Amino acid sequence: MHAQELLHKMTLEEKAAFCSGRDFWHTKAIERLGIPSVMMCDGPHGLRKQEGEGDHLGINVSIETVCYPSASALASSFDRTVMTRLGEALGYECQAENVAMLLGPGLNIKRSPLCGRNFEYFSEDPYLSGQMGAAYVKALQSKGIAACAKHFACNNQETRRMSGSSQVDERTLHEIYLPAFEAVVKDGKTRSIMCAYNAVNDTYCAENKMLLTDILRELWGFDGFVVTDWGAVKDRAGGVASGLDLEMPGNPDALGEEIIKAIQDGTLSEEALDKAVLNLLNFVLSSWEQRKPDTKIDREACRQLARKLSGECAVLMKNENILPLNTEESVTFIGEFAETPRYQGAGSSHINVPHSVSALEAAEGRSVLYARGYDAHSKQTDPHLLSEAVNAAKKVDAAVIFAGLPDAFESEGADREHLRLPDNQNELIAAVAAVNPRTVVVLHGGAPVELPWLDQVPALLCMYLGGEQVGSAAVDLLYGSVNPSGHLAETWPLRLEDNPSYLNFPGEDGIVTYAEGIYVGYRYYDKKKIAVNFPFGHGLSYTEFSYSNLRIDKDKITDQESVTVHVDVTNVGRITGKAVAQLYVRDVKSTVRRPVRELRAFDKISLQPGETKTLHFTLDKRSFAYYEPKVHDFFVESGEFVIEIGKNCRDICLSQSVTVEGTTQIPFTVTRTSTIGQLMKHPKGASFIQKMTGSSKGPSDEEQAAAMGEGSEKIMQSMMFEMPLGALVSYGRMTAPQLDALIASLNEQPNDTLSEADKQQ
Ligand code: BGC
């Protein structure tokens, strides 16, 4: 039966109850009408299907399955096809397990490297996050499984995650924290959005009309359904009124009394409830129709995929002629993570893996020795383990230390306290590097750490949380059967104190002010010219790429048009490898604050030695725009923009300018506090001011110089430009009625706008 027909047949009680889940993971069935119950499960980098008792913390056991790399690793692939392959694999698995929706991807921006859940999020950059998210959503949904993009919005920390409020200005919200969600709605067509626990600007997301209706549905055209994060409801009826459709989790006794009461006392319209029911019915019915219970999963193929994806995601951060290792050389693997790797994060995304592959296991058959080096459950150095490792390192051609953040250091539900590795690991790395100059560090973890020993080690490979096959992938990369191609989706700062959110993270008493505004990640480090360990976009390969022949098909466009950018990439090294071309846009001159450059396009391609391929990128209004709160929209300020191709945000190889003309203007109303400087740029105001100053009997240049010193003309001009119109009355230049008449006539102008250049005046 059609959703609309079913809605008409449902009683008020049925409708109200339907909008809360049956249990931890299911929607409610209404047998009388043949409405089935469907299941949703956690992801996003594997299927966490709990068949027994449910929980949202990853505590109770779920089915055994394959664990893929987590989001911070996936984003480092800079590869949409990685997301497509993962999304499709998970889509098949959900079909085989009769799961209708997978709870992911996580799209929150990495505001601070301390957020305990950063391993589940993609990037500090909204464009990259949105591109990776949209590719995943499309692939998952192509198999008939709904995606559920989360956590909408501004859930950028774990401290007070269920009750705090993120205070964000309008521009920052639209430029930094919303675009990834916008991309999965508009481009990915996600069928569901999970609203966050926290509030945005004091209104909880589960009842935030601005987010759930004004932006999500009206601005972006979302036509799916909104589910709460598990237990996020504060005001049940207020939620329905604001655009919330499903409350999770639920229980069979949740009958929606608060909703019914609100409808009966007139504080909630039944129409609002009907909308929610319809959104949910559409999802339930279409999922039911798209079931493919006969789907079979080839687990071995999934494991191979996990290994391949892990290899695509890893980032070679440093390599001074040491990697790849030679099969002939003697090597010692050092560190507990070589034996028991850390490959996924703790909490609701935790996957039950029957067997994960360690690097030691993957290196079987090679001349590799092992020393445990440190106890992963302790921060203290064990002198015995340390000296054993140092002695082992002395005897071999190369030492490979597997280090990283232990589980206790980062997880859902708690933020990190600092950016350091455990002390025992830092001491071990320094001690081993002191006896063996060919020391390689392999890092596991979901987020950046400080690297106090970086200058002492010639090579550093970051696996992030690479999934259950991370050991195999690490060995593939170390010995060169796979050429590293990942690039950092986040800046690795020298120290925590350099991070832009440092003074305002995690806030006080549940209130966190995003005072750094749009300056998140590289947008801040580049603007402040702060030295970092590794910049956004950085990643090495065992081959070299060169970029040439940057062409832009037009040199001038309006913001209603687009430009196509072409660039050639050549593999100038000796082995096949994958290059990531990053396109940044820089606004040459702007009257509002803007980052130095912003990522607006990227692509990853495989090239054989000597091979050249041409990449094509299309840039449109959004590539040049910033969000202008005065018009509540993205806005292009006319002028010159530079298109840059880089290997990372600090290594720009090619650049070329394009002129973009904005076609909209910012309305400007003249008032008594408008300044003379602002008026000078007003079409009619300028001639008035000129007339006025021309007739002025002010002091001569010589008199001015004598009174105020050299440069006085400029000083006088600035002083005048800063003067508000009201002062003309105070200084006797005109009467109050004359001024009011002038203001009225200026505001009558058909074209009563100022050029963009005036906004900051
Ligand atoms: C998490 C969500 C998760 C849900 C269900 C919540 O605590 O924030 O990401 O999908 O639980 O497990």
Side-chain angles (χ1 to χ4, degrees):
M1 211 184 291
H2 195 264
Q4 194 75 46
E5 287 168 56
L6 286 168
L7 174 70
H8 286 309
K9 295 199 166 134
M10 289 167 82
T11 64
L12 176 62
E13 288 70 21
E14 281 172 335
K15 290 191 283 192
F18 186 62
C19 289
S20 296
R22 180 187 85 191
D23 55 26
F24 237 86
W25 304 118
H26 294 86
T27 62
K28 282 199 183 95
I30 303 183
E31 275 148 32
R32 174 181 87 81
L33 297 170
I35 300 172
S37 158
V38 298
M39 185 175 201
M40 54 199 92
C41 285
D42 269 315
H45 53 269
L47 176 60
R48 186 171 78 98
K49 183 183 180 191
Q50 287 183 317
E51 288 183 315
E53 207 178 325
D55 71 84
H56 63 307
L57 299 172
I59 299 167
N60 290 325
V61 77
S62 50
I63 60 162
E64 287 189 347
T65 185
V66 177
C67 174
Y68 298 92
S70 68
S72 50
L74 290 166
S76 312
S77 73
F78 268 74
D79 190 347
R80 298 169 185 88
T81 59
V82 160
M83 304 311 293
T84 303
R85 304 228 23 218
L86 174 60
E88 287 173 353
L90 291 171
Y92 286 124
E93 198 171 352
C94 288
Q95 286 290 9
E97 290 291 341
N98 197 16
V99 170
M101 178 161 93
L102 198 61
L103 304 175
L107 295 176
N108 298 102
I109 291 291
K110 296 181 186 192
R111 175 175 177 252
S112 165
L114 291 182
C115 171
R117 220 175 164 182
N118 272 1
F119 65 89
E120 265 193 83
Y121 301 140
F122 290 121
S123 175
E124 66 191 21
D125 182 78
Y127 177 75
L128 178 60
S129 302
Q131 291 295 302
M132 301 313 270
Y136 174 92
V137 167
K138 283 191 236 177
L140 183 68
Q141 296 193 159
S142 73
K143 302 298 160 218
I145 305 301
C148 179
K150 63 190 188 182
H151 310 88
F152 188 59
C154 298
N155 177 187
N156 308 96
Q157 62 186 53
E158 292 300 281
T159 308
R160 298 288 292 264
R161 73 164 175 155
M162 295 183 81
S163 59
S165 182
S166 304
Q167 312 300 111
V168 199
D169 67 82
E170 186 181 343
R171 176 174 175 195
T172 302
L173 189 62
H174 284 267
E175 244 175 75
I176 304 292
Y177 295 98
L178 296 184
F181 289 98
E182 184 181 357
V184 299
V185 169
K186 289 184 176 169
D187 181 22
K189 306 269 182 269
T190 185
R191 289 170 61 196
S192 178
I193 291 274
M194 183 191 292
C195 67
Y197 287 122
N198 54 282
V200 171
N201 298 333
D202 302 320
T203 305
Y204 284 106
C205 294
E207 61 208 48
N208 195 315
K209 181 175 169 295
M210 174 195 74
L211 287 175
L212 303 188
T213 298
D214 302 350
I215 293 177
L216 191 55
R217 293 196 187 273
E218 286 168 14
L219 194 61
W220 299 344
F222 176 66
D223 62 358
F225 77 102
V226 176
V227 57
T228 60
D229 199 342
W230 268 226
V233 161
K234 270 87 177 174
D235 172 354
R236 190 68 190 91
V240 176
S242 306
L244 171 67
D245 302 311
L246 175 65
E247 174 192 26
M248 286 301 283
N251 65 71
D253 303 328
L255 300 176
E257 290 93 339
E258 286 170 78
I259 297 175
I260 296 170
K261 188 171 166 297
I263 289 178
Q264 284 166 348
D265 68 21
T267 49
L268 175 70
S269 71
E270 191 162 351
E271 200 193 343
L273 175 62
D274 285 356
K275 275 192 200 161
V277 173
L278 202 60
N279 291 333
L280 194 52
L281 272 175
N282 281 331
F283 156 67
V284 170
L285 298 183
S286 76
S287 295
W288 193 252
E289 265 168 32
Q290 293 180 70
R291 281 171 311 148
K292 291 199 178 73
D294 297 335
T295 308
K296 296 274 173 290
I297 297 299
D298 176 350
R299 291 257 176 256
E300 189 43 37
C302 293
R303 288 188 199 105
Q304 287 312 317
L305 177 63
R307 175 177 180 172
K308 188 173 170 358
L309 298 188
S310 184
E312 299 275 352
C313 296
V315 184
L316 181 61
M317 298 167 96
K318 181 174 180 185
N319 186 22
E320 287 168 356
N321 294 322
I322 175 164
L323 292 177
L325 297 171
N326 185 328
T327 30
E328 307 297 303
E329 59 194 328
S330 60
V331 176
T332 294
F333 281 4
I334 298 170
E336 204 177 302
F337 285 162
E339 200 180 5
T340 42
R342 181 152 177 271
Y343 59 90
Q344 66 169 329
S348 61
S349 66
H350 197 268
I351 304 301
N352 183 5
V353 174
H355 177 70
S356 64
V357 182
S358 72
L360 210 51
E361 182 185 341
E364 247 170 45
R366 298 181 188 272
S367 60
V368 170
L369 303 169
Y370 173 60
R372 190 168 153 224
Y374 60 86
D375 174 352
H377 300 286
S378 164
K379 291 180 214 160
Q380 308 289 326
T381 293
D382 176 328
H384 171 69
L385 293 180
L386 179 67
S387 71
E388 187 185 64
V390 169
N391 287 333
K394 278 183 196 160
K395 296 183 196 134
V396 284
D397 298 325
V400 183
I401 307 175
F402 291 79
L405 292 172
D407 261 325
F409 275 54
E410 56 174 353
S411 101
E412 179 177 342
D415 289 319
R416 289 163 71 191
E417 286 165 15
H418 54 76
L419 279 198
R420 298 188 301 279
L421 286 174
D423 293 345
N424 54 356
Q425 296 193 28
N426 280 332
E427 279 168 35
L428 171 77
I429 297 169
V432 168
V435 299
N436 191 328
R438 289 171 55 77
T439 293
V440 177
V441 175
V442 177
L443 280 179
H444 297 285
V449 291
E450 289 170 0
L451 307 166
W453 31 259
L454 185 59
D455 290 342
Q456 290 148 260
V457 302
L460 178 61
L461 175 68
C462 176
M463 300 302 297
Y464 276 106
L465 296 177
E468 62 165 68
Q469 299 291 321
V470 70
S472 298
V475 170
D476 292 343
L477 293 155
L478 288 170
Y479 284 92
S481 61
V482 171
N483 190 351
S485 63
H487 286 249
L488 295 175
E490 60 192 323
T491 311
W492 280 52
L494 283 170
R495 33 173 225 149
L496 174 64
E497 292 81 351
D498 293 340
N499 180 262
S501 70
Y502 179 69
L503 296 175
N504 295 286
F505 183 96
E508 280 163 9
D509 207 13
I511 304 293
V512 51
T513 305
Y514 288 26
E516 69 287 352
I518 57 166
Y519 293 108
V520 174
Y522 69 91
R523 287 168 168 75
Y524 173 81
Y525 296 111
D526 286 358
K527 192 80 176 180
K528 293 271 289 183
K529 299 194 172 93
I530 291 178
V532 298
N533 267 337
F534 297 104
F536 174 85
H538 168 74
L540 305 174
S541 162
Y542 295 150
T543 188
E544 287 282 327
F545 302 100
S546 82
Y547 294 85
S548 59
N549 227 351
L550 177 63
R551 284 100 72 203
I552 309 178
D553 68 346
K554 294 168 206 138
D555 53 16
K556 193 171 192 304
I557 55 163
T558 72
D559 63 9
Q560 300 303 299
E561 297 164 312
S562 58
V563 276
T564 308
V565 178
H566 312 271
V567 65
D568 295 347
V569 195
T570 306
N571 182 345
V572 291
R574 282 201 293 268
I575 60 166
T576 299
K578 288 185 176 172
V580 171
Q582 300 162 38
L583 187 156
Y584 296 88
V585 173
R586 184 158 62 82
D587 189 351
V588 175
K589 192 162 169 256
S590 166
T591 54
V592 297
R593 296 170 305 141
R594 292 205 73 172
V596 176
R597 58 178 56 88
E598 295 178 275
L599 183 76
R600 296 304 198 205
F602 64 88
D603 210 352
K604 189 173 195 177
I605 40 155
S606 178
L607 293 163
Q608 288 170 6
E611 190 183 7
T612 299
K613 280 183 188 160
T614 302
L615 294 177
H616 313 279
F617 301 107
T618 303
L619 304 178
D620 61 12
K621 175 176 175 181
R622 277 293 280 274
S623 314
F624 304 101
Y626 72 94
Y627 184 90
E628 173 53 71
K630 291 196 188 98
V631 291
H632 308 292
D633 200 357
F634 282 89
F635 178 84
V636 174
E637 183 174 21
S638 298
E640 184 192 349
F641 292 82
V642 180
I643 315 257
E644 304 178 323
I645 301 292
K647 292 183 177 174
N648 63 57
C649 74
R650 290 194 172 179
D651 185 359
I652 302 300
C653 329
L654 299 169
S655 61
Q656 200 174 318
S657 295
V658 61
T659 300
V660 185
E661 191 192 315
T663 55
T664 50
Q665 282 173 322
I666 297 171
F668 179 75
T669 304
V670 182
T671 67
R672 281 187 173 213
T673 51
S674 305
T675 64
I676 304 265
Q678 283 179 302
L679 214 60
M680 285 293 283
K681 287 161 188 161
H682 190 287
K684 194 173 166 190
S687 63
F688 162 77
I689 296 290
Q690 257 152 25
K691 241 186 275 157
M692 195 183 72
T693 50
S695 69
S696 117
K697 288 186 229 77
S700 70
D701 287 355
E702 293 74 31
E703 284 166 340
Q704 254 181 52
M708 298 179 70
E710 282 311 312
S712 57
E713 197 183 334
K714 209 163 162 236
I715 299 171
M716 285 295 285
Q717 198 186 49
S718 324
M719 281 167 68
M720 194 181 80
F721 274 28
E722 290 305 319
M723 195 188 288
L725 292 186
L728 293 174
V729 176
S730 318
Y731 294 153
R733 289 302 187 94
M734 54 171 60
T735 64
Q738 279 172 331
L739 177 62
D740 290 339
L742 169 72
I743 290 173
S745 105
L746 291 170
N747 284 334
E748 259 167 32
Q749 286 285 313
N751 179 17
D752 61 346
T753 53
L754 286 187
S755 73
E756 306 83 43
D758 305 332
K759 291 184 305 291
Q760 289 295 50
Q761 292 278 323

